[in-house]
């Protein structure tokens, strides 16, 4: 007689009534779990629940999480590669929802720091090629979600910095533009600050007709509420929020003072004390607008940490950054951090510092109202080194550690229409994972101390990551000629 399952054991025990058979049934081992890779003894980080599930075995098959079960109750097939993760923590891979990578090296650097998804906010045909190469397994890198070229008005902002920039002034031409972007394979159209309200409205309408997302900057002449009601999916840098909640509605937007003379005048008036910072926003308007925004299918990407570069408390270079930058890149980074790149004056930085604190409080209230918020760095080469700082900036603004983590994991998954598939450690989810030496729910800096990264089921242990990063460092610091 062959006893194959616990159920058959119970059946024969009842039929035959043998005590010995019952004992034999109790000793039947659980069937071995098959798969490709297993993390054994690991503490699973439940970002949704803000909790740790201890001592689990997480089995990966292909690019999916096949099973999660207590390690004490799990046996593995001999063919499974075992990662001894006792005492370590398995969390979802980080998702940076506002980035500007350029080269293949930038993408490899991101993966090497645990960023498994990047939303590229200024793409081109090269970006589409990189995405295809990553998906084919030809180059290492994160999942890419990408816009095409910036869609700006006249004159385009970045032309003054020597960058190629398109400008659009004809509403009638926007349907064809949006259709072309979708046909080329881009995921969304990124709008910018100098579009006229008429052109912007035409882009939103074309997006709805062609099933193409429209996201980016709310143009300076457009109210954020109107943009959201028109179907804008995400807004960047918290642009347009303060203009909706001003106590004095005649002031206008204080956003983007480096590009907008009107906004600059407001910032300087704040710096001079001519506009009272304590009454700059109306608390009732903040509450009403935040509650309304929470009900919309709209996500805010505040890029809160990098916005400090317009204030007196700028970002500074972080440990490990120097080894991935050429001398020319370091000089540019210093210029941005010091304010000289944008020609910021001391009074302007003082006004921006005051407004930064106001935005921080409004961001906290938006979060508490349930508005949808995602983490993004607005950086290129150093984005993977700065994403943890952005997550920490959200935490410092009043998010719990779990909520700050969700802004870089499960919340982006919801935005992408993939809840339960991305941004979580759960059975059936895509195996985008990071292995940490400490609990990120206790200390977000644990995200900087990775023991390994898994992207779509491909495992990179610490030794492999170190070798990849050392190679990148040697090439990136040697010259400005990047691959």
């Amino acid at each position: 007689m062959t006893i194959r399952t616990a159920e058959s054991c119970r059946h024969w025990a009842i039929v035959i009534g043998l005590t010995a058979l019952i004992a034999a049934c109790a000793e039947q081992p659980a069937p071995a779990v098959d798969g490709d890779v297993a993390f054994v003894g690991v503490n699973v980080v439940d970002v949704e629940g803000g909790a740790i599930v201890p001592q689990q075995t997480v089995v990966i098959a292909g690019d999916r999480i096949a099973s999660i079960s207590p390690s004490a109750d799990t046996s593995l097939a001999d063919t499974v590669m075992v990662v001894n993760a006792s005492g370590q923590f398995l969390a979802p891979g980080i998702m940076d929802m506002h980035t500007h990578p350029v080269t293949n090296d930038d993408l490899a650097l991101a993966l090497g720091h645990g960023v498994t998804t990047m939303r590229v906010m200024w793409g081109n045909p090269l970006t589409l090629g990189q995405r295809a190469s990553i998906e084919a397994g030809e180059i290492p890198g994160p999942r890419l979600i990408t816009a095409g070229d910036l869609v700006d008005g006249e004159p385009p902002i970045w032309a003054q910095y020597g960058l190629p920039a398109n400008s659009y002034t004809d509403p009638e031409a926007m349907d064809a533009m949006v259709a072309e972007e979708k046909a080329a394979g881009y995921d969304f159209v990124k709008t910018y600050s100098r579009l006229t309200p008429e052109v912007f409205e035409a882009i939103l309408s074309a997006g709805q007709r062609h099933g193409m997302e429209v996201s980016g900057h709310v143009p300076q002449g457009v109210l954020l509420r109107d943009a959201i009601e028109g179907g804008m999916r995400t807004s960047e840098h918290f642009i347009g929020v303060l203009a909706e909640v001003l106590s004095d509605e005649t002031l206008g937007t204080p956003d983007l003072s480096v590009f907008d003379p009107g906004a600059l005048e407001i910032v300087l008036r704040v710096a001079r004390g001519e506009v009272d910072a304590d009454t700059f926003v109306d608390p009732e308007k903040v509450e009403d607008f935040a509650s309304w925004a929470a009900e919309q299918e709209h996500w805010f990407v505040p890029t809160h940490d990098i916005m400090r570069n317009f204030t007196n408390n700028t970002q500074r270079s972080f440990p490990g950054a120097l080894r991935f930058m050429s001398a020319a890149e370091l000089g540019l980074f210093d210029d941005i951090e010091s304010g000289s790149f944008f020609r910021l004056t001391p009074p302007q930085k003082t006004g921006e510092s005051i407004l930064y604190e106001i935005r921080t409080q409004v961001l906290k209230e938006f979060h508490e109202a349930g508005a949808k918020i995602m983490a993004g760095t607005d950086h290129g080469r150093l984005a993977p080194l700065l994403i943890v700082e952005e997550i920490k900036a959200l935490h410092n603004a009043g998010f719990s550690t779990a909520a700050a983590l969700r802004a870089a994991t499960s919340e982006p998954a919801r935005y992408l229409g993939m809840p339960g598939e991305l941004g979580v450690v759960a059975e059936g989810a895509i195996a985008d994972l990071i292995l940490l030496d400490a609990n990120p729910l206790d200390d977000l800096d644990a995200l900087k101390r990775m023991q390994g990264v898994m992207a779509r089921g491909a495992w990179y242990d610490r030794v492999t990551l170190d070798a990849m990063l050392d190679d990148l460092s040697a090439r990136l610091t040697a010259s400005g000629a990047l691959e």
Side-chain angles (χ1 to χ4, degrees):
M1 178 175 63
T2 301
I3 300 172
R4 298 188 181 278
T5 67
E7 185 61 33
S8 64
C9 279
R10 285 190 293 271
H11 170 76
W12 284 108
I14 292 170
V15 172
I16 301 176
L18 298 178
T19 302
L21 181 59
I22 295 173
C25 289
E27 295 172 2
Q28 294 300 307
V33 178
D34 201 0
D36 299 311
V37 181
F39 300 92
V40 177
V42 75
N43 300 304
V44 171
V45 181
D46 174 10
V47 294
E48 292 282 77
I52 298 297
V53 185
Q55 293 294 306
Q56 299 293 297
T57 290
V58 180
V59 179
I60 313 301
D63 66 349
R64 298 275 174 168
I65 299 174
S67 68
I68 302 176
S69 56
S71 294
D73 301 333
T74 306
S75 61
L76 298 170
D78 293 339
T79 55
V80 178
M81 185 185 86
V82 173
V83 177
N84 183 357
S86 179
Q88 297 177 331
F89 294 79
L90 194 64
I94 299 171
M95 302 169 75
D96 186 341
M97 301 309 282
H98 189 125
T99 60
H100 294 282
V102 177
T103 70
N104 290 354
D105 288 335
D106 294 347
L107 301 173
L109 187 63
L111 186 63
H113 285 83
V115 177
T116 54
T117 297
M118 299 179 87
R119 183 168 172 251
V120 183
M121 300 303 293
W122 191 348
N124 54 46
L126 173 64
T127 316
L128 297 176
Q130 290 170 327
R131 183 176 66 186
S133 294
I134 291 170
E135 292 174 352
E138 297 168 355
I139 61 172
R143 174 180 293 96
L144 296 183
I145 314 299
T146 186
D149 201 357
L150 297 187
V151 178
D152 203 358
E154 182 65 35
I157 284 174
W158 288 101
Q160 64 188 300
Y161 298 99
L163 296 175
N166 294 324
S167 63
Y168 297 87
T169 59
D170 181 6
E172 298 297 323
M174 294 303 93
D175 189 86
M177 183 275 292
V178 171
E180 288 170 4
E181 292 289 283
K182 181 170 184 178
Y186 297 108
D187 298 296
F188 62 101
V189 171
K190 182 184 178 182
T191 56
Y192 221 59
S193 299
R194 287 182 174 160
L195 290 169
T196 66
E198 295 77 16
V199 172
F200 181 70
E201 183 179 358
I203 293 170
L204 289 176
S205 297
Q208 291 182 347
R209 283 193 298 275
H210 295 287
M212 185 67 160
E213 176 185 331
V214 177
S215 290
H217 286 207
V218 179
Q220 294 293 83
V222 174
L223 289 174
L224 177 57
R225 184 185 292 265
D226 291 342
I228 294 173
E229 288 181 337
M232 191 176 200
R233 193 90 191 290
T234 78
S235 55
E236 315 302 305
H237 319 302
F238 232 38
I239 292 172
V241 172
L242 293 189
E244 292 280 359
V245 298
L246 292 171
S247 295
D248 181 357
E249 296 179 358
T250 66
L251 280 177
T253 180
D255 298 321
L256 300 182
S257 68
V258 293
F259 304 131
D260 186 331
L264 175 59
E265 180 55 31
I266 297 170
V267 170
L268 293 177
R269 289 180 64 192
V270 170
R272 293 191 295 262
E274 297 171 6
V275 177
D276 186 1
D278 292 336
T279 60
F280 190 79
V281 299
D282 182 331
E284 289 188 5
K285 288 183 180 180
V286 172
E287 182 180 356
D288 290 345
F289 190 57
S291 298
W292 176 82
E295 298 299 318
Q296 312 306 309
E297 283 300 302
H298 182 85
W299 278 259
F300 297 89
V301 189
T303 64
H304 197 53
D305 192 56
I306 201 170
M307 300 306 283
R308 291 195 292 117
N309 283 342
F310 300 106
T311 74
N312 289 315
N313 180 31
T314 60
Q315 287 181 325
R316 303 310 304 166
S317 296
F318 295 97
L322 298 180
R323 64 187 293 238
F324 299 111
M325 301 182 75
S326 68
E329 290 166 332
L330 285 170
L332 176 61
F333 193 49
D334 287 342
D335 287 345
I336 293 173
E337 287 183 336
S338 68
S340 63
F341 181 83
F342 292 113
R343 300 181 178 88
L344 293 163
T345 64
Q348 185 177 5
K349 294 175 76 171
T350 295
E352 289 286 8
S353 298
I354 295 169
L355 290 171
Y356 184 87
E357 296 306 317
I358 294 173
R359 285 190 183 91
T360 301
Q361 180 60 35
V362 173
L363 175 61
K364 176 176 184 281
E365 295 183 42
F366 267 57
H367 166 61
E368 291 174 347
K372 304 170 184 66
I373 296 165
M374 301 190 293
T377 58
D378 193 17
H379 219 289
R381 170 68 47 74
L382 295 189
L385 286 83
L386 301 182
I387 184 60
V388 179
E389 302 305 317
E390 175 65 13
I391 296 170
K392 289 167 62 179
L394 297 178
H395 177 51
N396 293 337
F399 293 47
S400 68
T401 53
L405 275 173
R406 286 195 290 271
T409 54
S410 59
E411 197 58 44
R414 271 188 277 276
Y415 154 74
L416 293 171
M418 302 177 72
E421 279 198 279
L422 278 178
V424 291
V425 184
E427 290 185 357
I430 295 171
D432 284 358
L433 306 166
I434 50 176
L435 186 63
L436 310 171
D437 67 3
N439 182 1
L441 297 174
D442 291 337
D443 178 11
L444 290 169
D445 278 327
L447 296 170
K448 300 178 181 179
R449 301 190 299 274
M450 292 185 311
Q451 301 308 303
V453 177
M454 177 168 277
R456 299 171 299 282
W459 171 239
Y460 302 79
D461 62 18
R462 185 70 262 174
V463 173
T464 302
L465 291 176
D466 285 342
M468 181 173 70
L469 294 175
D470 287 345
D471 176 67
L472 286 170
S473 174
R475 288 188 293 104
L476 293 175
T477 57
S479 71
L482 309 177
E483 295 180 2

